[in-house]
Amino acid sequence: MRVFNFSAGPATMPLEVLERAQSELLDRGGSGMSVMEMSHRSPEFVAIAADAERRLRELLSVPDDYAVLFLQGGATGQFAAVPLNLTAPGARTAYLNTGSWSKKAIGEARRFTDVQVLADEKDSNYASVPAQGSFEVPQDAGYLHYTLNETIGGVEFPYVPDAGEVPLVTDASSTILSRPLDVGRFGVVYAGAQKNLGPSGIVVVLVRRDLLGRARPDVPSVLDWTAMAEADSMLNTPPTLAWYLVGLVLEWVQEQGGVEAMARRNQAKADLLYGAIDASDFYRNPVEPAARSWMNVPFLVPDPALEKPFVAQAAEAGLSGLAGHRSVGGMRASIYNAMPLEGVQALVDFMTEFERKNG
Amino acid sequence: MRVFNFSAGPATMPLEVLERAQSELLDRGGSGMSVMEMSHRSPEFVAIAADAERRLRELLSVPDDYAVLFLQGGATGQFAAVPLNLTAPGARTAYLNTGSWSKKAIGEARRFTDVQVLADEKDSNYASVPAQGSFEVPQDAGYLHYTLNETIGGVEFPYVPDAGEVPLVTDASSTILSRPLDVGRFGVVYAGAQKNLGPSGIVVVLVRRDLLGRARPDVPSVLDWTAMAEADSMLNTPPTLAWYLVGLVLEWVQEQGGVEAMARRNQAKADLLYGAIDASDFYRNPVEPAARSWMNVPFLVPDPALEKPFVAQAAEAGLSGLAGHRSVGGMRASIYNAMPLEGVQALVDFMTEFERKNG
């Protein structure tokens, strides 16, 4: 029996994608081999790679003056790649701190640059985002970085910050493809695949081309956007199997109607789950409503002693991965593109029943 | 029809591994989800990860005082990680140059250290390795690095260099698991997976633990061996699907009888192919016999105009991936662990027939 998997990433994949991958795992397209056995230089694989890039460009209307890279090392690798590619040693950079992933990005950037945190949501216990216009971006900063969606805190920016002439950089790992994104407003958008794009082991980077050519001389080649852009992300052997799976997911999103259709579906899922939480005196979501994530929904029960039974009984009911992040506890439901409305409905039904028994 | 795939990497996988991965792609072990959908923190995946490490330790008799890491970024990432983890800026390091991959490793290391090339095989046109004892290792070098097997040139070290007290570091991407390796003689052994270990997108690093703790303060976290060793290679989300597939390949190697059994089989395959080449006046392998690779066999025909027909007609006969690397031309047969003797026999039969028609 296939479970509904609410894990934050690696996360549930579209069943159709898994079935297709399974059906051609021994012989992709009559090649007589698995896609993971193909040379990355073969015409077959080069076509698979280019097809994935084309679909991503179509889905997000990526402007032509952006390079699209498929790299290794995840978003954490990009935490270092961003300062290494955009600034000189000791340069000033600007960050917004909205929670756990912001802090990790900031911690890595401090090793390479003079980080200025323009806004820190600690007063809200990281349950909100800074108000629009509440911070000023120093115009000598190499870039402004923010975390579009905090996977652990369940906080998502409802607006795009204004950075003036300073390049705007965002970690869009959880948000990408879940709703429209105006790529043209950013200098760099990066996203680990393991939420809305595919399996772990591959990260997508969109870079405005005028920002290439600024890398430090000692950036490791595998993190060098300029060298990777020149090599079509094949400066070294790319993660071919993951790249192929991302392509299948992108094709699936197109078949569903694209990012606008995903946004309608995701909003309906989020409304259903937040609505059930808010209508209850038993469950509670701590995030300011305007900043609530469509993708990651943390929630609490009145008595922490009920958390383990909740997670265990939910798992028995075929609802997996509902424990909150080990750093914060509580529960969390991640409801990415591949989670169907039926999964969220099943969760809400279970929550109602659990409340009836324990409320 | 499944072809015999002679690609240099990504490369052919054991059919049994592909069939197993296919059979459980939608539901791994009754979990109700694909392995690629599992949280890397879940007990199921943590067990998969630990199982792969255990099997690798068993197969190579890895001493207990070595950390085993599963990282992203391939061997090319390790070209930077080696100097960044072992030396201070500007430190002296020592390299042997036996061909294309040595040169890439040296090029990357020059960005971080003062590289001294102790031996360079250019006089042999990179068709050999330096004679044992022909170079002296400066005892103030941070390490001595060499490329155990040159995938493009088809040159493989038949001996382990003596570096004295200097840590010995090797890129074992093609050799690993193809024959016994005395890990205890090395400070660091690293190997991209896409030859003998699994799909691309994951690299294995074996580090003697006394070499941890030397990383530069500004090494990107995803390349930081010490931090990764402390986090069981899960400082960030690892490439879970690739890690799982490596585990299946390791299990398969154990079922075949381990590295000694693989070595017997690989020697038989290499003997068959080199024997056919040497017995012919038509084909030619340029490598000095003592340094011939068991894994990558480059060969030439008398007239370069016959190369394209050779590769095309071989592909029609179900023998794929036989073009030499684009930098050197000619032909190349990569005959990793997963290539059965029947595949090499089919290649030899084809070569005989091709020579008969064109010789």
Side-chain angles (χ1 to χ4, degrees):
Chain A
M1 185 199 71
R2 185 161 168 82
V3 300
F4 290 118
N5 176 6
F6 294 93
S7 289
T12 191
M13 298 269 290
L15 181 59
E16 297 91 329
V17 166
L18 294 175
E19 288 173 339
R20 166 120 177 243
Q22 184 180 46
S23 73
E24 57 192 32
L25 199 74
L26 265 64
D27 183 1
R28 202 278 179 181
S31 62
M33 65 180 78
S34 178
V35 69
M36 73 182 95
E37 301 179 296
M38 289 179 178
S39 168
H40 56 297
R41 307 283 182 199
S42 66
E44 292 87 348
F45 186 77
V46 168
I48 288 169
D51 184 69
E53 177 178 336
R54 180 181 58 76
R55 290 183 193 278
L56 187 62
R57 286 185 179 275
E58 286 173 7
L59 279 164
L60 292 176
S61 304
V62 178
D64 286 345
D65 60 329
Y66 284 68
V68 176
L69 309 177
F70 294 83
L71 305 180
Q72 294 185 60
T76 300
Q78 295 306 309
F79 293 170
V82 167
L84 287 170
N85 280 280
L86 293 179
T87 69
R92 177 188 285 199
T93 56
Y95 279 74
L96 306 181
N97 182 356
T98 54
S100 304
W101 290 103
S102 298
K103 285 173 202 165
K104 292 201 182 197
I106 290 166
E108 191 79 355
R110 281 198 205 284
R111 305 167 76 189
F112 306 101
T113 68
D114 177 18
V115 172
Q116 192 174 347
V117 178
L118 305 185
D120 189 315
E121 282 300 313
K122 73 170 164 290
D123 287 349
S124 76
N125 199 24
Y126 300 101
S128 189
V129 298
Q132 200 161 4
S134 67
F135 51 87
E136 195 154 342
V137 183
Q139 293 299 299
D140 64 341
Y143 57 85
L144 170 65
H145 179 284
Y146 77 107
T147 307
L148 212 170
N149 180 92
E150 287 283 353
T151 320
I152 295 174
V155 166
E156 192 167 21
F157 271 80
Y159 68 93
V160 177
D162 181 4
E165 295 302 307
V166 171
L168 185 61
V169 178
T170 196
D171 174 357
S173 295
S174 297
T175 299
I176 198 162
L177 292 184
S178 71
R179 57 167 85 185
L181 183 73
D182 188 355
V183 175
R185 294 191 58 184
F186 295 86
V188 180
V189 175
Y190 63 91
Q194 67 270 17
K195 286 93 162 62
N196 276 320
L197 284 171
S200 63
I202 191 164
V203 54
V204 166
V205 185
L206 315 177
V207 198
R208 211 175 60 214
R209 289 193 182 273
D210 67 301
L211 297 173
L212 297 175
R214 302 184 184 190
R216 298 185 190 186
D218 64 349
V219 60
S221 292
V222 293
L223 296 177
D224 183 338
W225 296 339
T226 307
M228 280 293 190
E230 284 167 5
D232 293 330
S233 303
M234 294 197 194
L235 180 127
N236 66 326
T237 310
T240 52
L241 178 59
W243 196 335
Y244 153 82
L245 287 162
V246 168
L248 294 187
V249 170
L250 295 170
E251 189 173 345
W252 177 84
V253 174
Q254 289 185 314
E255 288 164 2
Q256 306 303 305
V259 287
E260 288 82 4
M262 296 315 309
R264 284 192 296 275
R265 191 187 295 191
N266 287 326
Q267 186 165 23
K269 285 151 53 184
D271 285 351
L272 175 59
L273 184 49
Y274 286 115
I277 291 168
D278 290 346
S280 144
D281 291 328
F282 186 79
Y283 299 106
R284 190 168 69 81
N285 167 276
V287 180
E288 183 188 305
R292 281 174 165 178
S293 168
W294 283 7
M295 295 289 105
N296 311 100
V297 183
F299 56 94
L300 299 165
V301 284
D303 180 359
L306 288 173
E307 290 174 3
K308 278 198 175 174
F310 182 98
V311 171
Q313 292 169 32
E316 281 169 34
L319 307 169
S320 170
L322 284 163
H325 190 268
R326 60 211 163 103
S327 65
V328 294
M331 274 77 69
R332 174 178 50 172
S334 294
I335 49 177
Y336 299 117
N337 281 351
M339 173 58 66
L341 183 65
E342 298 73 49
V344 179
Q345 186 62 58
L347 172 59
V348 167
D349 292 346
F350 172 82
M351 289 169 72
T352 304
E353 181 65 12
F354 188 85
E355 179 181 355
R356 197 185 59 74
K357 285 186 193 153
N358 299 279
Chain B
M1 186 200 72
R2 187 162 168 80
V3 299
F4 290 117
N5 177 6
F6 294 92
S7 289
T12 191
M13 300 268 291
L15 180 60
E16 298 90 328
V17 166
L18 294 175
E19 287 173 340
R20 166 120 176 244
Q22 183 180 47
S23 73
E24 58 193 31
L25 199 74
L26 265 63
D27 183 3
R28 203 279 178 180
S31 63
M33 65 180 79
S34 178
V35 71
M36 74 181 93
E37 301 179 296
M38 289 179 177
S39 168
H40 56 296
R41 307 282 181 198
S42 66
E44 292 87 348
F45 186 78
V46 168
I48 289 169
D51 183 70
E53 176 176 337
R54 181 182 56 76
R55 291 183 192 278
L56 187 61
R57 284 185 181 278
E58 287 172 7
L59 280 164
L60 291 177
S61 305
V62 178
D64 286 345
D65 61 330
Y66 283 68
V68 176
L69 309 177
F70 293 83
L71 305 180
Q72 294 184 60
T76 301
Q78 296 306 310
F79 293 169
V82 168
L84 287 170
N85 279 280
L86 293 180
T87 68
R92 178 189 285 200
T93 57
Y95 280 74
L96 306 181
N97 183 357
T98 53
S100 304
W101 289 102
S102 297
K103 285 174 202 165
K104 292 201 182 198
I106 291 166
E108 191 79 356
R110 280 200 206 284
R111 305 169 74 189
F112 305 101
T113 68
D114 177 18
V115 172
Q116 191 172 348
V117 177
L118 305 185
D120 188 316
E121 280 301 314
K122 74 171 164 289
D123 286 350
S124 76
N125 199 23
Y126 300 101
S128 189
V129 298
Q132 199 161 5
S134 67
F135 51 88
E136 195 154 341
V137 183
Q139 293 298 298
D140 65 341
Y143 57 84
L144 169 65
H145 180 283
Y146 76 107
T147 306
L148 212 170
N149 181 92
E150 288 283 354
T151 320
I152 295 173
V155 166
E156 192 166 21
F157 271 81
Y159 69 92
V160 177
D162 181 4
E165 295 303 307
V166 172
L168 185 60
V169 178
T170 195
D171 174 356
S173 296
S174 297
T175 299
I176 198 161
L177 293 184
S178 71
R179 56 167 85 184
L181 183 72
D182 188 355
V183 174
R185 294 191 59 186
F186 296 86
V188 181
V189 174
Y190 63 92
Q194 67 270 16
K195 284 93 163 65
N196 276 321
L197 284 170
S200 63
I202 191 162
V203 54
V204 167
V205 185
L206 315 177
V207 198
R208 211 174 62 215
R209 288 191 182 275
D210 67 301
L211 297 174
L212 297 176
R214 302 184 183 190
R216 299 186 188 184
D218 64 348
V219 60
S221 292
V222 294
L223 296 177
D224 183 339
W225 296 339
T226 308
M228 280 293 189
E230 284 167 4
D232 292 330
S233 303
M234 295 197 195
L235 179 129
N236 66 326
T237 310
T240 53
L241 178 59
W243 197 333
Y244 152 83
L245 287 162
V246 168
L248 295 188
V249 170
L250 294 170
E251 190 173 344
W252 176 84
V253 174
Q254 288 185 315
E255 288 165 2
Q256 307 304 305
V259 288
E260 288 82 4
M262 296 315 311
R264 284 191 296 276
R265 192 187 296 190
N266 287 325
Q267 187 165 21
K269 285 151 52 185
D271 285 351
L272 175 59
L273 183 49
Y274 287 114
I277 291 168
D278 290 346
S280 143
D281 292 328
F282 187 79
Y283 299 105
R284 189 170 69 82
N285 167 276
V287 180
E288 183 188 306
R292 282 175 165 178
S293 168
W294 283 6
M295 294 288 107
N296 310 100
V297 183
F299 56 94
L300 299 164
V301 284
D303 179 358
L306 287 173
E307 291 174 4
K308 278 198 173 176
F310 182 99
V311 171
Q313 291 168 33
E316 280 169 34
L319 307 169
S320 170
L322 285 163
H325 189 268
R326 61 212 161 99
S327 65
V328 294
M331 272 78 70
R332 173 178 53 171
S334 293
I335 50 176
Y336 299 117
N337 281 351
M339 173 59 66
L341 183 65
E342 299 73 51
V344 180
Q345 186 61 59
L347 172 59
V348 166
D349 292 346
F350 172 81
M351 289 168 70
T352 304
E353 181 65 12
F354 188 85
E355 178 180 355
R356 195 187 59 74
K357 285 188 192 150
N358 299 279

